Amino acid sequence: MPVAEIDWPASIGQAARATDAHVVKLCYSAWCESLAYGDPRYLAIAARKLANH
């Protein structure tokens, strides 16, 4: 999985402005999992969802 070109603060900010509740929930869940496990793939997943939104 490629490295995300966005950081968590920018991702969370962009997700907060999203109008699709699924985007908000996915980004929040990915952030929580990233905090718990430290896996950078969670940021990549959130970034991909935000890019496709």
Side-chain angles (χ1 to χ4, degrees):
M1 184 173 290
V3 175
E5 295 180 10
I6 191 169
D7 60 5
W8 276 118
S11 293
I12 296 301
Q14 192 173 343
R17 292 185 298 276
T19 56
D20 184 344
H22 294 99
V23 172
V24 176
K25 289 188 256 184
L26 182 134
C27 291
Y28 174 75
S29 297
W31 178 60
C32 289
E33 292 292 310
S34 176
L35 291 174
Y37 300 108
D39 191 333
R41 291 178 291 181
Y42 290 111
L43 178 56
I45 290 166
R48 183 172 46 203
K49 185 66 170 179
L50 290 166
N52 293 330
H53 177 274

